[in-house]
Amino acid sequence: MNLRAPTILIVDDEAQNRRLLAVLLRPEGYSTTSAASGEEALAAIGEEAPDLILLDITMPGMDGYQVASILKANPATANIPIIMVTAHLERTARLAGLDAGAEDFLTKPVDRAELWLRVRNLLRLKAYGDLQDHSANLERQVQARTADLQRFRTAMDATADAIMLLSRASMRFTEVNETACTLLAYTREELLGTGMADLIDASDTKLEHQYDALIAGGLKRDQQEMQMKRSDGVTVQVEVNSQAMRSGNDWTIVIVVRDITERKQAQQRLTHLAHHDPLTGLPNRTLFYESLQRTVALARDIGSLVAVMFIDLDNFKTVNDTLGHAVGDELLVQFSNRLVECVRVRDTVGRLGGDEFALILIMQESQQDAVVIADKIRDALRAPFVLHGHELSMTASIGITLHPVDSSDPATLIKYADTAMYEAKHAGRDTYRFFTAQMNADVLARLKLEKALRQAIEHEQFVLYYQPKVHVNSGRVAGLEALLRWDRPGYGMVPPNEFISVLEETGMIVQVGSWVLAQACKQIGVWLHSPAGPVQVSVNVSGRQFLEGDLDADVIAGLARYAIPPHLLELELTETSLMANTERTADILCRLKQHGVQISIDDFGTGYSSLAYLRRFPIDKLKIDIAFIREVTNNPDDAAIVLAIISMASSLKLEVIAEGVETAAQLNYLRRHRCDQIQGYYVSRPLPTEQVSAFLLQSNVLGPPTDAVQAGKTLLIIDDDPFMLEVLSNLFGCDGYRILCAGSAAEGFDMLALNEVQVILCDQCMPLMSGTDFLDKVKELYPKTFRIVLSGQSDLASIIEAVNCGAVLRYYTKPWDKQLLRDHVRDAFRQFAASDADAPA
């Protein structure tokens, strides 16, 4: 036996390439020789023929094509396998190499595994005989495999299931049967160009993971129900079984598909019969209960109300007894159709049995939505029913219960609704009742209020009050806001929070809003020709006036009728109303702006607060909502929002109005931070028309600033003990400071808002708010202040924590050294002055 290691000749003009190939071949036990040119290679082969040649194509002088042609033309060397090696193996190069006689090709850089595989295969072919014999053998194998494949395909085509073979490597079908083509409306050629990802709602990546699990043995067989897409776009419900089989170096996924459309339709029919009333087609008690469970769970997540309504036809038994069950059944069918038309698509209608029906309503705001549906049902019954030649008029009794007010248990809600329905029957039928007595009272009160408001419109019971807006710097009146009041007979003047929302919900606000605009324009004209002179009046505009009214026509008509300059009328809109139907709103506002009407945003900061609409809409002013003003002097978060709005408005050249200002501290804080105007009880309550003229004639409503004295060093001492305040005031009185005293944290915040303070001396132990908590807020509101805390407590952990976070800059324990404390306060003023001088202008 010849145990000589095969010899491989490496031909390449680059020495580095020859060394690399030799190194790569050495682990496989091959013996290598090398040649640096075609001429040198032919000489070496003439002396001793190698078992295989690795031949570079591009070489100076004789290239690889020429060397291969010479070797294949010589019978003595024609059987030596040649693998051509090149960096650019294009199709033309491959054809030229084959024409020259090469058996195989490798591209640079050479992959080690590919090199070993190609060399090993060619050496084996050479060892077993002539390459041409090998080709003939391969041809015979192909013919045999083709015959086997034809027999396999014939067997596949005879099956009733669709069968598809898919290559895991390519994720494409390698074989399909006739049933698959028929089921999916593709030709065989079309299917062979696709894969499963083209037929189902799944990506190749997802399918690859699934098939790899089959191959790994994690799943013996995968069975799934799914929908497959036909070539015509129609989907087919199928059951898919998949198995993996080894196929040489690849794996074949055998996919068997069965059409289960008829089976699914039969299942759906059975399910429908089990969950729906056979007479009306509505959900039966079982499905209704399941729907209620899901609805309650959803409402619990999103915070919505759910109403369950139990409906029973009045005197239905009499119809059945006198006219027969056929007429009774027809009545139930017609009533169910009317019932469905009374609700929204998202609501559920069910028949619980006999003449008992039920509804599930999802509501966003209040039980009033349920009342609207109940009234629609009662109205739907007004038209007579025509039943087999009989004409009948029917009424219904309705019981209503709510989640989460009454219960969150579906069975309990149905029970409560049933109870409320019987209460409606006891009340005389043809009505509805809520399960909760208080809700009944609320609903009746609401109905009474709506009726009274309609009468108020008819009899002109509304009046306008006016609340002044004042320039912060000058103290002069900047304008007035028109506020709606209701002079209700027997009740007196009704505040707006008790009726405005009802006007909004019922749509009456559109008519009332038009009246307000006309009255405001009329009053502007009266003042214009009086000693008060021109005064700007702002009118609140509802979002429904944009959607349902003719706002621009109302405004233009009011301006023309009373001959007033347009800039004296200002429209106030909330952020929410701006963002409802933005295209229509923007168009209307732009037209009004062209006429010279002013536009302001009310309650700014509580809605969308988007810079996008500040650019999109023609806005002149922003009104900061009272929610941020109420604690602006003691809440760092509110203060930050207020300052951000003022800064943003200044950048956009918009005026800022703070509403709800009630204290001098709030005024001074807003004045210090350059707010333009204020409105609130500090200036004036809303005034009736006859009191406004005198107010308008005042030259300075606010008077001089409360913090007029700013010079000198100011020390704020805060202690809830009056004795300690006196002691500390006396201690520092001789040092020339301006001393302010506060007996609580709340007083301290007011003092800081009203005065420029440099140093704060605060007791730690105070009721409601500790000294460290107070100074922590002060750090955010007035970061430049020098903050000192005095403590008599032995536990200093909270003080140390306050020092570490920067809220407290010094602390002293009681009793203290008087002289040392005076020295340190003096040093605090020096440090404040130094930091203030270093601060950027």
Side-chain angles (χ1 to χ4, degrees):
M1 179 181 291
N2 184 12
L3 299 178
R4 179 182 66 85
T7 302
I8 298 173
L9 173 62
I10 301 170
V11 184
D12 196 306
D13 60 312
E14 295 287 342
Q16 182 178 355
N17 292 340
R18 298 195 299 273
R19 286 194 299 272
L20 175 62
L21 289 170
V23 169
L24 291 175
L25 290 167
R26 192 173 300 139
E28 291 294 291
Y30 299 125
S31 173
T32 60
T33 60
S34 62
S37 66
E39 294 81 1
E40 187 179 331
L42 292 174
I45 294 169
E47 294 179 6
E48 182 176 357
D51 295 295
L52 184 142
I53 302 170
L54 293 176
L55 179 60
D56 186 28
I57 291 179
T58 305
M59 294 183 295
M62 185 181 293
D63 62 22
Y65 299 134
Q66 294 173 304
V67 174
S69 298
I70 294 171
L71 291 175
K72 294 302 181 180
N74 185 351
T77 58
N79 290 331
I80 302 175
I82 298 173
I83 300 176
M84 285 194 164
V85 184
T86 180
H88 303 288
L89 192 55
E90 299 170 347
R91 185 172 182 273
T92 54
R94 180 185 290 271
L95 291 175
L98 291 173
D99 188 57
E103 279 74 28
D104 211 339
F105 297 86
L106 279 172
T107 57
K108 297 178 183 178
V110 176
D111 179 77
R112 179 177 61 183
E114 185 181 5
L115 172 66
W116 291 351
L117 179 64
R118 294 184 185 277
V119 168
R120 187 185 308 121
N121 289 342
L122 284 178
L123 287 175
R124 284 176 180 171
L125 289 174
K126 184 174 182 297
Y128 285 113
D130 190 273
L131 291 175
Q132 293 181 352
D133 292 341
H134 174 67
S135 297
N137 184 45
L138 286 177
E139 181 64 26
R140 288 192 296 273
Q141 291 179 19
V142 168
Q143 292 175 354
R145 184 180 182 280
T146 301
D148 290 340
L149 183 60
Q150 186 61 46
R151 288 190 293 272
F152 176 68
R153 184 178 297 162
T154 301
M156 286 176 61
D157 289 342
T159 64
D161 294 332
I163 301 175
M164 298 178 281
L165 308 184
L166 182 138
S167 165
R168 169 61 186 85
S170 68
M171 293 300 288
R172 291 291 178 267
F173 295 125
T174 58
E175 189 59 69
V176 296
N177 69 349
E178 187 62 31
T179 308
C181 298
T182 302
L183 176 65
L184 299 172
Y186 284 97
T187 65
R188 181 174 180 275
E189 290 71 22
E190 289 172 339
L191 276 180
L192 291 179
T194 64
M196 277 297 282
D198 300 309
L199 304 177
I200 64 174
D201 187 16
S203 65
D204 270 334
T205 303
K206 180 180 179 180
L207 291 172
E208 286 169 358
H209 292 318
Q210 177 184 327
Y211 296 153
D212 287 344
L214 279 171
I215 293 169
L219 294 171
K220 296 298 182 184
R221 174 179 295 185
D222 181 48
Q223 184 179 79
Q224 299 181 64
E225 288 186 5
M226 63 182 66
Q227 290 187 333
M228 297 189 79
K229 293 176 290 188
R230 291 165 47 94
S231 64
D232 54 9
V234 177
T235 57
V236 184
Q237 192 72 28
V238 296
E239 179 184 86
V240 178
N241 287 274
S242 303
Q243 283 184 284
M245 297 177 58
R246 169 71 76 174
S247 180
N249 293 327
D250 194 6
W251 283 85
T252 294
I253 309 301
V254 181
I255 302 169
V256 180
V257 180
R258 177 167 297 170
D259 186 351
I260 59 171
T261 303
E262 293 183 1
R263 187 175 83 193
K264 298 300 290 185
Q265 290 174 347
Q267 289 176 353
Q268 290 171 359
R269 285 194 295 271
L270 289 173
T271 301
H272 187 272
L273 288 173
H275 291 87
H276 290 79
D277 171 49
L279 177 64
T280 63
L282 296 176
N284 61 14
R285 183 179 290 272
T286 301
L287 181 56
F288 185 88
Y289 183 84
E290 293 173 357
S291 299
L292 183 55
Q293 283 183 310
R294 292 193 298 270
T295 304
V296 168
L298 174 63
R300 189 182 295 116
D301 292 339
I302 65 177
S304 293
L305 287 172
V306 176
V308 178
M309 302 179 66
F310 205 103
I311 306 164
D312 186 271
L313 286 171
D314 297 328
N315 302 313
F316 177 77
K317 185 176 184 298
T318 303
V319 175
N320 257 351
D321 293 343
T322 57
L323 300 178
H325 289 281
V327 174
D329 287 350
E330 180 62 18
L331 173 60
L332 294 175
V333 171
Q334 290 191 26
F335 174 67
S336 69
N337 292 336
R338 294 189 189 186
L339 198 56
V340 169
E341 292 176 356
C342 292
V343 301
R344 301 156 299 188
V345 174
R346 67 184 184 187
D347 300 324
T348 300
V349 182
R351 183 190 176 201
L352 305 189
D355 62 327
E356 294 178 343
F357 293 81
L359 305 181
I360 303 171
L361 310 175
I362 299 178
M363 304 180 299
Q364 298 298 324
E365 295 179 357
S366 70
Q367 70 267 25
Q368 198 63 30
D369 290 348
V371 173
V372 171
I373 298 297
D375 285 335
K376 287 180 69 174
I377 295 169
R378 295 170 65 207
D379 290 339
L381 287 169
R382 299 284 184 258
F385 292 88
V386 179
L387 310 164
H388 299 280
H390 301 279
E391 189 173 286
L392 299 177
S393 294
M394 299 295 296
T395 61
S397 298
I398 304 171
I400 309 171
T401 187
L402 296 179
H403 154 84
V405 179
D406 297 327
S407 176
S408 294
D409 175 59
T412 303
L413 288 170
I414 294 174
K415 173 185 172 184
Y416 284 174
D418 191 16
T419 302
M421 183 271 294
Y422 280 106
E423 288 296 321
K425 283 193 177 295
H426 293 155
R429 295 182 171 84
D430 190 23
T431 188
Y432 55 85
R433 285 291 182 269
F434 283 89
F435 174 75
T436 305
Q438 184 58 47
M439 285 189 175
N440 274 309
D442 292 344
V443 169
L444 293 175
R446 167 63 180 257
L447 293 174
K448 184 179 180 181
L449 181 60
E450 287 184 21
K451 182 179 179 181
L453 284 170
R454 288 188 173 90
Q455 291 176 344
I457 295 173
E458 183 179 350
H459 300 297
E460 296 186 355
Q461 296 171 1
F462 293 111
V463 295
L464 290 183
Y465 275 43
Y466 297 89
Q467 187 172 34
K469 294 181 283 187
V470 177
H471 289 293
V472 171
N473 290 332
S474 67
R476 295 184 64 85
V477 175
L480 304 167
E481 180 180 0
L483 299 170
L484 187 64
R485 296 293 185 266
W486 178 18
D487 190 4
R488 186 177 182 183
Y491 290 82
M493 204 63 70
V494 181
N497 62 300
E498 295 185 16
F499 66 89
I500 290 293
S501 61
V502 180
L503 292 177
E504 286 274 4
E505 292 167 12
T506 59
M508 288 186 278
I509 192 67
V510 177
Q511 186 176 354
V512 174
S514 296
W515 178 86
V516 171
L517 274 168
Q519 288 297 112
C521 289
K522 179 180 179 180
Q523 190 58 54
I524 294 172
V526 171
W527 283 322
L528 186 62
H529 298 96
S530 74
V535 57
Q536 187 182 74
V537 175
S538 60
V539 176
N540 291 283
V541 178
S542 163
R544 296 191 71 159
Q545 287 179 262
F546 284 97
L547 301 178
E548 302 171 23
D550 196 353
L551 179 63
D552 46 349
D554 290 341
V555 170
I556 293 169
L559 295 174
R561 181 177 180 183
Y562 299 106
I564 61 173
H567 72 274
L568 295 182
L569 178 64
E570 180 178 271
L571 302 182
E572 289 193 11
L573 306 91
T574 64
E575 297 170 278
T576 304
S577 64
L578 270 181
M579 300 310 292
N581 199 345
T582 54
E583 294 294 336
R584 176 176 170 82
T585 303
D587 289 343
I588 293 173
L589 292 181
C590 287
R591 287 199 298 271
L592 292 174
K593 187 65 178 176
Q594 289 172 0
H595 283 281
V597 175
Q598 298 284 290
I599 309 294
S600 70
I601 306 301
D602 197 12
D603 302 335
F604 188 79
T606 61
Y608 292 88
S609 300
S610 168
L611 288 175
Y613 71 70
L614 291 181
R615 290 189 300 106
R616 181 172 185 180
F617 298 108
I619 297 166
D620 300 292
K621 300 174 186 177
L622 301 179
K623 291 188 72 174
I624 306 174
D625 189 72
I626 187 175
F628 305 116
I629 301 301
R630 190 174 289 117
E631 296 184 0
V632 71
T633 61
N634 56 36
N635 187 315
D637 293 336
D638 287 350
I641 292 172
V642 169
L643 297 184
I645 293 174
I646 293 173
S647 176
M648 177 183 66
S650 176
S651 300
L652 297 173
K653 295 181 173 55
L654 303 176
E655 285 191 89
V656 179
I657 306 168
E659 58 182 354
V661 176
E662 297 182 353
T663 67
Q666 292 168 347
L667 165 62
N668 206 60
Y669 186 88
L670 293 165
R671 174 184 282 147
R672 186 183 301 175
H673 292 95
R674 299 181 180 179
C675 181
D676 298 303
Q677 300 176 25
I678 65 166
Q679 178 182 355
Y681 282 8
Y682 184 79
V683 175
S684 173
R685 290 175 175 271
L687 302 172
T689 306
E690 58 271 15
Q691 296 180 19
V692 174
S693 296
F695 193 93
L696 293 175
L697 296 176
Q698 298 182 66
S699 60
N700 188 341
V701 176
L702 300 179
T706 54
D707 59 346
V709 180
Q710 299 293 339
K713 301 174 181 177
T714 302
L715 171 66
L716 173 60
I717 305 172
I718 306 167
D719 199 308
D720 62 310
D721 185 347
F723 175 74
M724 291 305 302
L725 283 177
E726 183 178 357
V727 169
L728 291 169
S729 297
N730 293 334
L731 175 63
F732 295 104
C734 59
D735 291 330
Y737 306 137
R738 177 186 175 215
I739 297 176
L740 303 175
C741 294
S744 66
E747 289 182 23
F749 284 123
D750 284 348
M751 288 290 186
L752 287 167
L754 292 167
N755 300 273
E756 293 285 353
V757 175
Q758 293 85 36
V759 179
I760 304 172
L761 198 62
C762 182
D763 184 39
Q764 168 65 0
C765 185
M766 294 189 298
L768 301 181
M769 183 181 293
S770 68
T772 50
D773 288 342
F774 170 76
L775 293 178
D776 187 53
K777 290 180 180 290
V778 172
K779 179 192 71 171
E780 301 297 329
L781 291 165
Y782 307 97
K784 290 184 179 181
T785 55
F786 198 96
R787 301 171 294 278
I788 304 172
V789 71
L790 300 175
S791 175
Q793 297 177 334
S794 57
D795 180 16
L796 299 178
S798 61
I799 297 177
I800 297 300
E801 182 180 354
V803 171
N804 290 337
C805 73
V808 173
L809 301 178
R810 295 281 190 278
Y811 77 90
Y812 301 96
T813 57
K814 300 176 182 179
W816 53 78
D817 183 291
K818 295 181 180 180
Q819 187 56 46
L820 183 63
L821 183 59
R822 289 176 62 194
D823 292 342
H824 284 176
V825 168
R826 188 179 302 110
D827 183 59
F829 276 107
R830 282 197 293 268
Q831 290 192 43
F832 177 91
S835 64
D836 194 44
D838 293 338

